[in-house]
Amino acid sequence: MTSGIRRAICEQLPQLKNIYYALEVPSKAQNSSATRPLLQWILPADVAQHENELLDSLKRQQFDTTFIEEVRVVPRNGRNAAKVEFKIQPDAFTEQLLQSDTVAPKASAFQEEHVVVEYSSPNIAKPFHVGHLRSTIIGNVLANLHQHLGYRTTRLNYLGDWGTQFGLLALGVQLGNISDTQMRETPIESLYNAYVMANKAAAEDPQLAQRARELFTALEAGTDPTLSSEWQKYRQYTIDELTGVYDRLGVHFDSYEWESQYSQRDIGDVLTQLRLAGLLQREHDGREIVVVDDRRVPVIKSDGSTLYLARDIAALLERQRRLQFTRMLYVVDNGQADHFNALFSTATALDASLKDKLQHVKFGRILGMSTRQGKAVFLRDVLNEARDVMREKRFASATTKANSTLNDEHVCDILGVSAVLVNVLKQRRQRDHEFSWQQALQVNGDTGIKLQYTHCRLHNLLERFGDIELSEIKPSWKHLTEEPSDALAVLYELARFDQCVWQAKEQLEAHILVNYLFGLCNATSRALKRLPVKQEKCPDKQSQRLLLFRAAKRTLQQGMQLLGLKPLNQM
């Protein structure tokens, strides 16, 4: 939120790309004794060759004295990298952080970069289960971070609706005599049950297995208009149901795409390209494969039908033509590492411009996430369970006041979803994560409930003093330095927001932002105790404290929204 100061430094250093977000607020230990606020730039390894030249030029640079009081160059010392300290004019620092109209700019440097994020991507014949949760919410945060920083961002949901198993699905719908009404009301459950039934029936009756193959052949060839029409409806009903879950998770997409868009009849050109480039090799059994790191990876089966890798290659090449992306992120679990290695290697061999643009954002599994009865096929069951537990906790709490203006069901749902999301997002993404209801739903620990509770406290405080016109009050560094140290601790936490957002984006790690918000909540809670507003008799102190808490609420709200949470004002 120190946008003006950061911009003033950047304007003097146009040769240093991305320094806007690389400027850091020094740690608490360094700040506690500081008489002046600092921003520091620790020189990255990639400028080491020009380090001395760069530091000399910085010493001669004239910076805007409205913001910058002094610039100090600290040379490299052993393992400690060289750094540049910008001593900030304190009132300008305070105003930047506490004025209500201060919004972090969308850095124009990134507007030309187009980042495509593919996430969630369930299979329409299977339940939207907890395994999809991590892809969905990590992908959403990464898309939010890029968008916040000014990148052109496209969010893709690439749904699995193709392959021979979908012949079984069509068969199951026929065998189960599933009506259109039933399909519309519970499409994912109906399709899942149809698939399970057909799979069992086909295993016992070879004729039914053959019928399933024929149905998929007709679907693939487009020779059965009724079946194709039904298929389109099933897909739309699926999206309608998924949208309800996504809305609860604070997730949205720019585009829903389908694996069937890249069925065999649609990707002949890509297969021809692969053959002409010598990338597809025919095996003695008729299969066609690509060689990746000495692995022979099948692309086309012996009967000529395509496998998932073929469709993914076609999808990637088509997206590059259509979207002209500068970076493509696939948010998919660790188990798919070999698939993405094969995809990136093969696609890059066909189109060298894709080199360094593709990334598999891996994540570990969630273990132990089920309802209290131990059942969790569908993610919505877990979200409903979280809502129900929050309802029980609220009614059992002695401090919960009756409030006729609150929609209790809505509040309980948001609290439950916040608990689940934050419990998952606070983990490092590549680790497997053991989910615990007890930890997720604590009020006192580092949880989603804590974030919501702190936001509500700040909202209620500001509403109570709504008659004070804060826009007319000038933030004062002097006032804050005369307060207990908790005031400056909050101020410095606010100043760290920009760098934490940048670091979360750079490392593709949501937990960096989550942990920052926990730190902000903890600093704010201490300040609310030590800096009471209601009991303070001095109007100047009262208004300065309100400015500080308003900025804390604004920053907390923005951070929560980046995580996909819906900040509550009352709970």
Side-chain angles (χ1 to χ4, degrees):
M1 301 296 186
T2 47
S3 52
I5 296 169
R6 289 172 181 271
R7 210 180 302 112
I9 293 171
C10 293
E11 282 167 2
Q12 295 302 115
L13 303 169
Q15 74 276 30
L16 299 178
K17 197 183 175 200
N18 296 347
I19 191 175
Y20 182 100
Y21 291 103
L23 290 164
E24 296 182 12
V25 178
S27 68
K28 208 174 285 180
Q30 291 167 281
N31 269 327
S32 58
S33 58
T35 54
R36 286 288 187 265
L38 293 176
L39 282 177
Q40 65 183 17
W41 180 52
I42 298 168
L43 269 65
D46 60 3
V47 301
Q49 288 180 314
H50 315 288
E51 189 174 294
N52 293 335
E53 183 186 328
L54 185 57
L55 293 175
D56 285 342
S57 72
L58 274 164
K59 290 174 188 172
R60 297 191 296 272
Q61 202 75 257
Q62 292 295 309
F63 289 92
D64 186 344
T65 54
T66 314
F67 298 119
I68 316 298
E69 282 192 347
E70 186 187 334
V71 180
R72 179 169 166 257
V73 172
V74 182
R76 177 185 297 276
N77 179 14
R79 288 189 173 184
N80 296 327
K83 64 180 177 181
V84 183
E85 291 181 345
F86 298 91
K87 197 174 277 188
I88 309 301
Q89 205 284 333
D91 276 329
F93 180 75
T94 312
E95 281 178 39
Q96 288 273 307
L97 292 166
L98 303 190
Q99 289 288 32
S100 61
D101 57 354
T102 301
V103 177
K106 291 202 168 183
S108 57
F110 306 126
Q111 286 170 357
E112 298 306 310
E113 297 191 37
H114 186 190
V115 178
V116 177
V117 189
E118 183 197 291
Y119 56 107
S120 194
S121 303
N123 184 320
I124 72 164
K126 293 180 181 174
F128 186 76
H129 60 80
V130 294
H132 296 114
L133 176 64
R134 225 169 179 185
S135 171
T136 303
I137 62 178
I138 291 171
N140 188 51
V141 175
L142 298 184
N144 288 344
L145 290 169
H146 281 88
Q147 191 169 330
H148 170 81
L149 290 165
Y151 292 85
R152 280 175 57 220
T153 309
T154 298
R155 303 153 185 266
L156 291 187
N157 196 353
Y158 180 56
L159 291 95
D161 70 327
W162 213 241
T164 50
Q165 74 268 33
F166 290 98
L168 283 169
L169 184 59
L171 175 69
V173 171
Q174 292 178 3
L175 291 175
N177 211 13
I178 298 171
S179 69
D180 191 62
T181 304
Q182 189 181 342
M183 185 68 75
R184 187 187 292 113
E185 285 173 358
T186 54
I188 295 174
E189 206 164 337
S190 298
L191 288 167
Y192 174 60
N193 291 337
Y195 178 72
V196 170
M197 176 175 45
N199 209 26
K200 188 178 176 188
E204 295 168 358
D205 184 343
Q207 285 187 311
L208 285 176
Q210 178 58 30
R211 173 68 183 142
R213 285 191 287 275
E214 288 167 1
L215 282 169
F216 182 67
T217 301
L219 188 63
E220 191 166 32
T223 54
D224 185 334
T226 305
L227 186 58
S228 296
S229 169
E230 291 293 307
W231 199 251
Q232 297 289 340
K233 281 200 292 189
Y234 300 163
R235 297 194 324 182
Q236 188 54 51
Y237 295 161
T238 301
I239 286 182
D240 292 343
E241 185 176 344
L242 284 172
T243 302
V245 177
Y246 290 139
D247 285 346
R248 293 172 76 179
L249 295 171
V251 170
H252 71 277
F253 295 93
D254 297 309
S255 177
Y256 283 88
E257 298 184 0
W258 302 91
E259 199 182 335
S260 57
Q261 290 170 229
Y262 308 100
S263 65
Q264 189 148 359
R265 59 195 165 133
D266 299 311
I267 63 169
D269 288 350
V270 172
L271 299 178
T272 301
Q273 281 179 266
L274 287 166
R275 291 188 183 104
L276 290 174
L279 295 169
L280 269 187
Q281 299 179 17
R282 188 174 289 277
E283 298 282 72
H284 65 274
D285 60 2
R287 293 183 307 160
E288 292 184 78
I289 58 100
V290 290
V291 179
V292 181
D293 299 333
D294 298 326
R295 285 189 308 119
R296 305 178 79 76
V297 185
V299 177
I300 299 175
K301 291 195 283 190
S302 53
D303 65 3
S305 58
T306 57
L307 287 161
Y308 186 73
L309 178 58
R311 298 190 285 276
D312 246 14
I313 294 167
L316 173 52
L317 296 172
E318 188 272 336
R319 288 170 185 171
Q320 170 65 348
R321 281 194 300 274
R322 173 166 49 98
L323 300 171
Q324 296 291 304
F325 56 78
T326 49
R327 197 168 184 212
M328 172 93 205
L329 304 178
Y330 291 86
V331 186
V332 184
D333 68 90
N334 285 327
Q336 295 295 313
D338 284 345
H339 169 77
F340 284 103
N341 185 31
L343 170 63
F344 297 167
S345 172
T346 309
T348 305
L350 264 189
D351 180 355
S353 73
L354 288 168
K355 188 172 169 59
D356 301 325
K357 289 183 179 179
L358 309 171
Q359 185 164 357
H360 174 201
V361 182
K362 307 171 191 175
F363 57 86
R365 294 170 300 160
I366 301 178
L367 309 171
M369 184 184 268
S370 63
T371 58
R372 287 175 291 182
Q373 287 73 39
K375 299 173 185 172
V377 176
F378 296 93
L379 178 61
R380 69 157 186 265
D381 296 335
V382 172
L383 298 183
N384 290 347
E385 174 91 357
R387 179 196 62 209
D388 296 344
V389 172
M390 286 315 305
R391 192 194 300 116
E392 290 167 19
K393 279 181 172 278
R394 286 184 81 238
F395 288 150
S397 170
T399 58
T400 303
K401 297 173 186 172
N403 185 338
S404 59
T405 63
L406 271 187
N407 179 335
D408 279 337
E409 198 71 358
H410 180 65
V411 168
C412 291
D413 193 51
I414 289 176
L415 287 172
V417 169
S418 300
V420 171
L421 257 64
V422 170
N423 190 262
V424 174
L425 290 173
K426 73 179 186 179
Q427 320 296 331
R428 290 181 181 273
R429 64 174 157 80
Q430 290 209 54
R431 288 184 185 162
D432 288 348
H433 161 47
E434 187 79 44
F435 182 82
S436 156
W437 281 110
Q438 188 180 353
Q439 286 178 0
L441 297 169
Q442 282 175 357
V443 177
N444 300 323
D446 284 344
T447 64
I449 309 300
K450 174 195 268 187
L451 301 185
Q452 291 287 9
Y453 175 69
T454 308
H455 188 268
C456 289
R457 278 186 78 185
L458 291 168
H459 175 82
N460 293 338
L461 173 68
L462 293 163
E463 207 171 47
R464 198 178 305 144
F465 292 92
D467 55 325
I468 297 177
E469 195 55 69
L470 293 179
S471 58
E472 295 174 4
I473 293 162
K474 189 177 171 66
S476 165
W477 167 265
K478 183 173 182 293
H479 269 291
L480 292 176
T481 56
E482 290 168 354
E483 293 276 32
S485 61
D486 307 85
L488 282 185
V490 173
L491 194 70
Y492 284 124
E493 278 297 323
L494 295 173
R496 290 182 58 243
F497 178 72
D498 286 332
Q499 80 194 50
C500 285
V501 166
W502 177 256
Q503 287 164 0
K505 187 278 298 184
E506 283 287 277
Q507 296 176 38
L508 304 174
E509 282 282 13
H511 84 271
I512 293 172
L513 178 57
V514 176
N515 288 335
Y516 165 77
L517 293 177
F518 289 150
L520 176 61
C521 282
N522 293 337
T524 301
S525 296
R526 287 190 295 269
L528 285 165
K529 281 183 187 171
R530 297 286 305 280
L531 309 169
V533 178
K534 190 177 177 183
Q535 294 90 329
E536 180 53 59
K537 300 292 185 244
C538 172
D540 284 347
K541 275 192 175 182
Q542 199 178 55
S543 57
Q544 291 294 322
R545 289 175 183 181
L546 284 170
L547 283 176
L548 187 68
F549 293 132
R550 182 182 64 175
K553 176 184 179 260
R554 188 172 62 241
T555 304
L556 177 58
Q557 179 180 354
Q558 192 168 27
M560 289 171 73
Q561 288 168 338
L562 287 173
L563 296 178
L565 303 185
K566 298 166 185 169
L568 288 167
N569 292 332
Q570 291 176 288
M571 61 181 272

